[in-house]
Short mmCIF file of all heavy atoms in Angstrom, two decimals:
data_model
loop_
_atom_site.label_atom_id
_atom_site.label_comp_id
_atom_site.label_asym_id
_atom_site.label_seq_id
_atom_site.Cartn_x
_atom_site.Cartn_y
_atom_site.Cartn_z
N GLU B 257 125.37 152.76 179.46
CA GLU B 257 125.39 153.95 178.61
C GLU B 257 123.96 154.34 178.22
O GLU B 257 123.60 155.51 178.25
CB GLU B 257 126.24 153.65 177.36
CG GLU B 257 126.48 154.86 176.48
CD GLU B 257 127.29 155.95 177.18
OE1 GLU B 257 128.21 155.59 177.95
OE2 GLU B 257 126.98 157.14 176.97
N ALA B 258 123.16 153.33 177.87
CA ALA B 258 121.78 153.60 177.44
C ALA B 258 120.99 154.23 178.58
O ALA B 258 120.26 155.21 178.39
CB ALA B 258 121.12 152.32 176.98
N GLU B 259 121.14 153.67 179.78
CA GLU B 259 120.38 154.21 180.91
C GLU B 259 120.88 155.61 181.27
O GLU B 259 120.09 156.48 181.64
CB GLU B 259 120.46 153.25 182.11
CG GLU B 259 119.59 152.02 181.88
CD GLU B 259 119.78 150.91 182.91
OE1 GLU B 259 120.36 151.18 183.98
OE2 GLU B 259 119.34 149.78 182.64
N LYS B 260 122.20 155.81 181.15
CA LYS B 260 122.74 157.13 181.44
C LYS B 260 122.25 158.15 180.40
O LYS B 260 121.92 159.28 180.73
CB LYS B 260 124.28 157.09 181.45
CG LYS B 260 124.82 156.78 182.82
CD LYS B 260 126.22 157.32 183.08
CE LYS B 260 127.23 157.11 182.00
NZ LYS B 260 128.55 156.64 182.51
N ALA B 261 122.22 157.71 179.14
CA ALA B 261 121.82 158.62 178.07
C ALA B 261 120.36 159.04 178.22
O ALA B 261 119.99 160.17 177.92
CB ALA B 261 122.05 157.96 176.71
N LEU B 262 119.53 158.12 178.68
CA LEU B 262 118.12 158.47 178.90
C LEU B 262 118.00 159.42 180.09
O LEU B 262 117.08 160.24 180.15
CB LEU B 262 117.28 157.22 179.14
CG LEU B 262 116.88 156.44 177.88
CD1 LEU B 262 116.27 155.11 178.26
CD2 LEU B 262 115.92 157.24 177.02
N GLY B 263 118.90 159.25 181.04
CA GLY B 263 118.96 160.16 182.19
C GLY B 263 117.68 160.19 182.98
O GLY B 263 117.11 159.15 183.31
N GLU B 264 117.22 161.40 183.27
CA GLU B 264 116.03 161.56 184.09
C GLU B 264 114.75 161.39 183.29
O GLU B 264 113.66 161.42 183.85
CB GLU B 264 116.03 162.96 184.71
CG GLU B 264 117.22 163.25 185.61
CD GLU B 264 117.14 162.47 186.91
OE1 GLU B 264 116.15 162.64 187.66
OE2 GLU B 264 118.06 161.65 187.17
N ASN B 265 114.90 161.24 181.98
CA ASN B 265 113.71 161.13 181.14
C ASN B 265 112.97 159.83 181.36
O ASN B 265 113.55 158.84 181.77
CB ASN B 265 114.10 161.20 179.66
CG ASN B 265 114.59 162.57 179.29
OD1 ASN B 265 113.91 163.56 179.54
ND2 ASN B 265 115.78 162.63 178.71
N ARG B 266 111.68 159.85 181.05
CA ARG B 266 110.95 158.60 180.92
C ARG B 266 111.12 158.16 179.48
O ARG B 266 110.93 158.95 178.56
CB ARG B 266 109.46 158.82 181.20
CG ARG B 266 109.12 158.91 182.66
CD ARG B 266 107.74 159.47 182.87
NE ARG B 266 107.72 160.91 182.60
CZ ARG B 266 107.01 161.45 181.62
NH1 ARG B 266 106.27 160.70 180.84
NH2 ARG B 266 107.05 162.75 181.43
N GLY B 267 111.51 156.92 179.28
CA GLY B 267 111.71 156.48 177.92
C GLY B 267 112.25 155.09 177.84
O GLY B 267 112.32 154.39 178.85
N ALA B 268 112.61 154.68 176.64
CA ALA B 268 113.11 153.33 176.44
C ALA B 268 114.12 153.31 175.32
O ALA B 268 114.05 154.12 174.39
CB ALA B 268 111.97 152.38 176.11
N VAL B 269 115.08 152.39 175.44
CA VAL B 269 116.06 152.17 174.38
C VAL B 269 116.16 150.68 174.15
O VAL B 269 116.22 149.91 175.10
CB VAL B 269 117.45 152.70 174.80
CG1 VAL B 269 118.52 152.19 173.85
CG2 VAL B 269 117.46 154.22 174.83
N VAL B 270 116.13 150.27 172.90
CA VAL B 270 116.44 148.88 172.58
C VAL B 270 117.54 148.91 171.54
O VAL B 270 117.41 149.57 170.51
CB VAL B 270 115.21 148.12 172.03
CG1 VAL B 270 115.60 146.71 171.63
CG2 VAL B 270 114.10 148.09 173.07
N ALA B 271 118.65 148.20 171.84
CA ALA B 271 119.74 148.10 170.87
C ALA B 271 119.93 146.65 170.50
O ALA B 271 120.00 145.78 171.38
CB ALA B 271 121.03 148.65 171.48
N LEU B 272 119.92 146.36 169.20
CA LEU B 272 120.04 144.98 168.73
C LEU B 272 121.29 144.83 167.87
O LEU B 272 121.75 145.79 167.26
CB LEU B 272 118.83 144.60 167.86
CG LEU B 272 117.44 144.65 168.47
CD1 LEU B 272 116.41 144.39 167.38
CD2 LEU B 272 117.32 143.62 169.58
N ASP B 273 121.81 143.60 167.84
CA ASP B 273 122.78 143.27 166.83
C ASP B 273 121.97 142.77 165.63
O ASP B 273 121.37 141.70 165.70
CB ASP B 273 123.72 142.17 167.33
CG ASP B 273 124.82 141.88 166.33
OD1 ASP B 273 124.59 142.11 165.12
OD2 ASP B 273 125.90 141.43 166.75
#
Side-chain angles (χ1 to χ4, degrees):
Chain B
E257 187 63 38
E259 286 171 15
K260 270 206 314 224
L262 281 170
E264 299 289 300
N265 291 308
R266 281 165 286 116
V269 167
V270 177
L272 299 174
D273 185 333

